[in-house]
Amino acid sequence: MKMKKILFIFALTAFALFVQAEEIKVNTLKYAGPYDMQKPFFIDETDVNAKKYSAETIIDTPLPLADVFDSEQSDIKGNDGIILPKSSAEHALHLLGFTIQNNRYGKAKLTVEGLKKYQLFVDGLKAGTDSIVFEPGTHQIVIKVLTTKNDAGKVKVIVATSKNGFMKLTDQKDGRNILLTDILHGKRFSGVSVSSDGKYLITNYTDTKPGGTTNYISTITEIVSGRIVAQGSEDWQWMPRSVKYYYFRSGQHGRELVTVDPQTGSETVLANQLPEGRAVMAPTEDYLLYMMRQEGPKERKDVYEVLVPDDRQPGWRNRSYLAKYDLKRHVLQQLTYGYRNMYLNDISQDGKCILFSVSTERLTKRPTTLQTVYCMNVNTLETEKLVDGDGFLSGSSFSPDAKQVLFQGTPESFNGVGKNVKPDQIPSMYDYQLYVMDIKNKEVKPLTKNFNPNVTNVEWSSADEKIYFMAENKDSVSLYRMEPNSWEISQVRVPEELVKGFTLAKNAPMMVYCGQGTHNSDRIYTMDLGNDKSSLIEDLSKDILNGITLGECKSWNFVNSRGDTIYGRYYLPADFNPAKQYPMVVDYYGGCSPTSRTFESRYPQHVYASMGYVVYVVNPSGATGFGQEFAARHVNTAGKGVADDIIEGVKKFTAEHSFINPKKIGCIGASYGGFMTQYLQTQTDIFAAAISHAGISDHTSYWGEGYWGYSYSEVSMANSYPWTRKDLYVDQSPLFNADKIHTPLLFLHGTADTNVPVGESIQMFTALKLLGRPTAFVLVDGQNHHILDYEKRIRWQNTIFAWFQKWLQDDDSWWEALYPTRTL
């Protein structure tokens, strides 16, 4: 029987949804088939449900739908309809496919005429013929068709969408838009560690699958050949001298320490019946240094006393101390004792001495936590105090010969010897510097006083005795080398904008580092420290971004009214047209850390750009990485200056770029950036929509309620308190200026946020509701300061996208789908 004329229509309907629909004719379809099908051999006339056989059930036969998009599959074309290939079999299945891409949430409707039997699939899932919801992305449409012998038909496909410009046809070779799932799924590096001879590498990965399952994988690779010699989920560490790795496991005789030769795979149990606790191998490989934990006194759970503000935190009463486990004598020697926390900082290369710090609380004066640093001989337990009660230090390590100590701390460390700010400024406690102390005479020298980047990770190489460190360099993270004789600093040039981590071989002039940038995800390189030549050894970005087309990212800086250069950048849609006007999303943190050039962030700029926005990232006054004086502007300003930079930047950027719609600009920030979102709306009306995630609305309530409220205020409100600086804590709080806000403002907050308590959003939302201002409040149950749960993260992110689509693209369909209007 001949097949009737086939008509595929994504039809225009009379429904209001499609009043402004547009039609797109599909003149090329991907084709796979025919799949010839035969009747089964009949054992019985009916099946177990007493049903007789029907050839129509062949349509339910599973087929590999994605195969229709294989690059080797043929295209069938026709301007006036497409002829379906014939089959000589009694029955045959065919797959027809095409790809559509949309940068906004919307709907389409499908009607099919002329087919006896067919099924529709969208992104691999069976779909009905009513209105189909399409979230922003690239979607594969597959139609599975059942035909009879020698049937053929003429196929016409028309896509009718719910709004103009909602969809466009695309092809695999065109490249697709980046999606949120591209940020969430796949392999990423979580750490690298090179063997002492530089020949082997431990690489730690996280691998997240669709649905949220995350696997933690470790591999050991021979660097030159790329051969994987071991793979597992254990926490592998390199032995400091011998080319072996070690790990702990549960064995027949309790906890075991096992070493493995990567060349042969042979294992040796060095010790068993080991105590629990975190331990590191001494450089001499003859003992383990343990950080032991002692449980603190318990209180009843129903009615109990809180001793100090931090006593609200689970586990705060527990204390840590140090112990040495002799691998030859199998004896554990406790090294420190007391009621205060004690932390290991470093072990000397000869294994004789350790650096450790003791933490002491002092609530009545800034800084409220002091660190005292000691040097101990682990054989005699003879101990020397190097630093007495400095609250601005963050870490310390020995020089290779153990004659000097390298300290990392804020500009106020060592009584401010490294301070480089204006007389009326207090430095930021998040701006980290390097200092060196001669152990013999205790003299301290500031090393980075005139160095603007903010030091993060640092390591003193035992191979070439030079100091290598990472530092926030404006919105990048760069790699640097310091010469220990002259203390001169030079940048080590690498092919990545943002270095995520590095590791040095102890006995070879070799480094391994990983990094990413605005247009690529994780990559790993080796570097010959003799000539600084980098070689790519693993590129995860290649798979993550396979088939994806990204828009441009360009730097854009401006000079503000105070004469300062404010750095920023902007992202464009992949199909950017300079003749069009685009809505814009402004992203910032608002102080402390710069909004860096990381590819995968909590607010992925390229994903916003793929939805039709221009994204402007600005790093205003107060951010680290631009010098001490610039970072100090975060302190005791509570948004002043910072907001001015953001507002001035947005106005100048809009004026200089005609492709921005000045009436459709949104802004977003989290934590202190969430405060900045709220504060900005009290200062300007340039924004058409705003989003505050976990933002501070009242500095006075946050100061006392958050786990780290008072201690973070040591940074942002140094030596200022609610009872001494009403101008900062009250006058600069958005809550006390709520009547000035007219921008539609969305509040997002995790119900279990211990950093910025959820009340900060509740009270501001309540104020705007009472004022009759446009606002919304979305809670994420059980989540803390960051939204980590996989499904909740997607819903949270879609909430952000939907809010901007509502107010910046004049389309509330996504918001209504998530949060339909209710009259209570």
Side-chain angles (χ1 to χ4, degrees):
M1 187 176 85
K2 286 189 176 181
M3 195 177 177
K4 291 182 180 179
K5 186 177 182 181
I6 303 172
L7 178 64
F8 295 108
I9 303 177
F10 279 100
L12 272 163
T13 72
F15 298 140
L17 175 66
F18 295 94
V19 168
Q20 296 182 349
E22 69 173 337
E23 292 186 346
I24 305 172
K25 292 183 179 180
V26 184
N27 297 321
T28 302
L29 291 169
K30 302 293 290 186
Y31 176 79
Y35 300 87
D36 294 342
M37 308 300 292
Q38 295 178 325
K39 285 185 179 181
F41 175 72
F42 284 74
I43 302 295
D44 301 302
E45 290 297 318
T46 62
D47 64 11
V48 70
N49 293 313
K51 289 185 178 181
K52 290 188 175 183
Y53 174 79
S54 171
E56 291 187 352
T57 61
I58 293 175
I59 193 72
D60 295 320
T61 303
L63 289 178
L65 301 178
D67 283 4
V68 74
F69 297 102
D70 190 287
S71 59
E72 296 181 0
Q73 294 294 348
S74 61
D75 291 342
I76 52 178
K77 303 180 180 181
N79 291 329
D80 188 35
I82 300 169
I83 304 299
L84 195 68
K86 294 182 180 180
S87 170
S88 60
E90 189 67 30
H91 294 91
L93 292 173
H94 312 257
L95 294 178
L96 304 172
F98 63 97
T99 304
I100 55 177
Q101 185 168 275
N102 57 293
N103 62 7
R104 294 163 65 180
Y105 175 97
K107 297 181 180 180
K109 188 176 175 65
L110 173 69
T111 59
V112 179
E113 296 179 4
L115 279 181
K116 287 184 177 179
K117 205 69 178 175
Y118 70 93
Q119 291 177 347
L120 172 71
F121 297 85
V122 178
D123 295 332
L125 300 176
K126 194 173 181 180
T129 57
D130 291 333
S131 296
I132 304 168
V133 172
F134 289 96
E135 291 187 357
T138 302
H139 307 280
Q140 294 180 335
I141 311 299
V142 177
I143 301 171
K144 182 166 63 170
V145 182
L146 174 64
T147 63
T148 56
K149 188 175 183 179
N150 295 321
D151 281 344
K154 184 176 286 188
V155 180
K156 288 186 178 180
V157 179
I158 299 175
V159 178
T161 71
S162 59
K163 56 182 73 71
N164 290 324
F166 165 54
M167 286 183 175
K168 68 176 183 178
L169 294 173
T170 185
D171 193 271
Q172 300 287 80
K173 63 185 178 182
D174 296 335
R176 64 174 179 83
N177 283 341
I178 190 169
L179 305 173
L180 176 62
T181 50
D182 296 311
I183 303 298
L184 296 179
H185 299 161
K187 259 186 179 181
R188 303 295 191 281
F189 299 125
S190 58
V192 289
S193 178
V194 67
S195 61
S196 60
D197 62 354
K199 293 182 178 179
Y200 295 93
L201 181 69
I202 295 174
T203 309
N204 304 115
Y205 306 86
T206 59
D207 189 6
T208 302
K209 307 295 184 183
T213 300
T214 299
N215 298 319
Y216 300 91
I217 308 163
S218 296
T219 64
I220 297 180
T221 309
E222 187 178 51
I223 293 176
V224 172
S225 66
R227 179 176 62 94
I228 295 176
V229 300
Q231 187 166 359
S233 57
E234 294 86 358
D235 182 18
W236 291 327
Q237 305 289 330
W238 288 114
M239 295 290 283
R241 292 184 176 178
S242 56
V243 187
K244 294 181 180 181
Y245 61 94
Y246 71 94
Y247 67 100
F248 297 93
R249 72 182 180 195
S250 296
Q252 291 183 346
H253 302 289
R255 192 180 190 216
E256 296 178 339
L257 171 62
V258 182
T259 63
V260 185
D261 185 331
Q263 219 170 10
T264 64
S266 60
E267 295 187 347
T268 303
V269 178
L270 284 189
N272 52 41
Q273 299 184 45
L274 289 169
E276 295 295 328
R278 189 165 63 92
V280 296
M281 181 69 68
T284 46
E285 300 183 358
D286 56 349
Y287 68 88
L288 294 172
L289 206 294
Y290 269 90
M291 282 70 72
M292 308 292 284
R293 190 181 74 160
Q294 183 181 17
E295 295 285 339
K298 304 293 184 182
E299 295 275 357
R300 55 185 292 168
K301 295 182 178 181
D302 53 351
V303 180
Y304 55 91
E305 180 187 11
V306 175
L307 301 179
V308 295
D310 285 348
D311 194 21
R312 297 177 298 150
Q313 301 182 35
W316 175 83
R317 294 189 178 189
N318 299 332
R319 294 293 185 265
S320 58
Y321 64 93
L322 305 180
K324 172 189 173 185
Y325 184 87
D326 191 312
L327 290 171
K328 294 179 180 178
R329 298 169 54 234
H330 303 290
V331 173
L332 183 72
Q333 167 66 59
Q334 186 168 343
L335 299 179
T336 63
Y337 180 86
Y339 63 86
R340 288 175 289 175
N341 278 311
M342 302 156 206
Y343 305 99
L344 175 69
N345 293 340
D346 197 16
I347 307 175
S348 62
Q349 291 299 308
D350 60 10
K352 293 181 180 179
C353 297
I354 64 170
L355 283 175
F356 71 95
S357 57
V358 177
S359 179
T360 304
E361 287 196 348
R362 178 190 63 179
L363 293 178
T364 57
K365 186 178 180 181
R366 174 186 180 270
T368 56
T369 303
L370 304 177
Q371 301 293 329
T372 298
V373 182
Y374 295 91
C375 178
M376 173 188 282
N377 184 308
V378 295
N379 298 319
T380 65
L381 271 58
E382 182 181 352
T383 302
E384 181 182 12
K385 185 187 294 184
L386 301 182
V387 179
D388 188 9
D390 192 320
F392 301 102
L393 294 177
S394 61
S396 58
S397 57
F398 284 112
S399 61
D401 61 6
K403 294 181 179 180
Q404 296 171 298
V405 174
L406 185 67
F407 287 95
Q408 188 175 355
T410 78
E412 294 177 271
S413 302
F414 300 107
N415 295 315
V417 67
K419 191 163 61 171
N420 185 14
V421 296
K422 294 178 180 178
D424 61 340
Q425 286 183 312
I426 297 176
S428 171
M429 290 176 68
Y430 286 166
D431 186 12
Y432 292 104
Q433 309 293 316
L434 290 178
Y435 304 83
V436 69
M437 172 188 284
D438 186 295
I439 294 180
K440 187 176 182 180
N441 59 28
K442 306 297 186 299
E443 289 184 0
V444 175
K445 180 180 179 64
L447 303 179
T448 54
K449 182 175 182 177
N450 299 305
F451 179 72
N452 285 338
N454 175 39
V455 179
T456 55
N457 298 0
V458 59
E459 186 172 345
W460 201 324
S461 171
S462 57
D464 63 9
E465 298 188 346
K466 297 175 183 178
I467 298 168
Y468 293 87
F469 64 93
M470 293 159 44
E472 291 173 347
N473 179 19
K474 301 181 177 65
D475 57 358
S476 297
V477 177
S478 302
L479 192 62
Y480 296 90
R481 176 192 288 114
M482 181 182 287
E483 301 288 342
N485 295 322
S486 63
W487 306 114
E488 290 184 0
I489 300 171
S490 60
Q491 185 173 345
V492 182
R493 300 295 175 180
V494 297
E496 298 293 344
E497 296 174 294
L498 188 141
V499 179
K500 292 180 62 179
F502 72 93
T503 174
L504 299 174
K506 293 187 181 301
N507 301 321
M510 189 248 203
M511 172 193 289
V512 176
Y513 64 92
C514 59
Q516 59 177 237
T518 56
H519 278 72
N520 65 278
S521 186
D522 288 355
R523 295 171 177 155
I524 291 184
Y525 301 80
T526 60
M527 177 184 285
D528 184 332
L529 296 179
N531 57 23
D532 290 354
K533 181 180 178 180
S534 291
S535 301
L536 179 67
I537 60 172
E538 187 170 5
D539 184 359
L540 295 183
S541 185
K542 185 177 180 181
D543 291 333
I544 293 168
L545 297 180
N546 183 34
I548 291 174
T549 300
L550 300 174
E552 289 186 278
C553 174
K554 299 182 178 182
S555 295
W556 187 82
N557 310 323
F558 73 96
V559 177
N560 67 13
S561 56
R562 298 187 300 274
D564 305 314
T565 299
I566 303 299
Y567 288 80
R569 62 187 187 276
Y570 63 97
Y571 297 75
L572 298 173
D575 58 354
F576 174 70
N577 180 354
K580 291 176 58 177
Q581 277 203 324
Y582 292 84
M584 183 167 73
V585 173
V586 182
D587 187 14
Y588 45 79
Y589 182 60
C592 295
S593 300
T595 305
S596 68
R597 291 175 172 262
T598 181
F599 185 76
E600 288 108 353
S601 71
R602 308 296 299 178
Y603 304 95
Q605 289 91 3
H606 279 295
V607 177
Y608 287 91
S610 74
M611 295 180 180
Y613 301 100
V614 172
V615 181
Y616 171 44
V617 176
V618 57
N619 283 298
S621 296
T624 55
F626 297 84
Q628 287 190 36
E629 191 277 328
F630 194 90
R633 300 178 192 178
H634 174 64
V635 184
N636 285 328
T637 59
K640 283 185 177 179
V642 181
D644 296 337
D645 288 345
I646 296 171
I647 295 168
E648 198 170 348
V650 171
K651 288 181 176 179
K652 288 190 174 183
F653 185 88
T654 304
E656 289 186 18
H657 300 90
S658 60
F659 52 79
I660 300 299
N661 184 343
K663 296 182 179 180
K664 294 296 179 182
I665 302 174
C667 61
I668 186 169
S671 195
Y672 196 90
F675 153 69
M676 283 308 307
T677 290
Q678 297 177 38
Y679 179 71
L680 280 167
Q681 310 324 306
T682 71
Q683 304 297 304
T684 183
D685 60 359
I686 62 173
F687 297 108
I691 298 176
S692 167
H693 172 74
I696 302 165
S697 65
D698 178 0
H699 291 300
T700 62
S701 56
Y702 167 70
W703 175 85
E705 289 182 320
Y707 274 6
W708 301 279
Y710 79 92
S711 56
Y712 177 73
S713 293
E714 293 182 41
V715 181
S716 61
M717 308 286 206
N719 296 321
S720 299
Y721 303 93
W723 54 90
T724 64
R725 293 292 303 271
K726 175 180 174 292
D727 60 320
L728 291 177
Y729 282 90
V730 176
D731 297 345
Q732 288 294 106
S733 289
L735 181 63
F736 296 97
N737 296 277
D739 58 326
K740 299 175 183 176
I741 297 177
H742 295 274
T743 307
L745 180 51
L746 168 64
F747 298 94
L748 294 165
H749 224 119
T751 62
D753 196 330
T754 55
N755 187 344
V756 179
V758 68
E760 292 299 310
S761 287
I762 293 173
Q763 57 192 3
M764 196 64 184
F765 171 70
T766 302
L768 294 183
K769 274 294 185 181
L770 293 178
L771 287 164
R773 306 293 159 77
T775 186
F777 183 27
V778 174
L779 288 167
V780 189
D781 187 56
Q783 293 296 284
N784 205 310
H785 203 51
H786 297 287
I787 311 303
L788 301 179
D789 178 86
Y790 177 83
E791 295 293 343
K792 293 174 183 177
R793 164 84 189 274
I794 293 175
R795 175 87 174 189
W796 170 79
Q797 189 72 70
N798 284 345
T799 299
I800 293 171
F801 295 151
W803 185 257
F804 281 144
Q805 181 171 308
K806 176 179 179 177
W807 294 103
L808 303 184
Q809 297 180 325
D810 296 325
D811 181 359
D812 66 355
S813 58
W814 201 352
W815 184 264
E816 285 295 317
L818 291 172
Y819 309 103
T821 300
R822 294 181 176 90
T823 302
L824 300 178

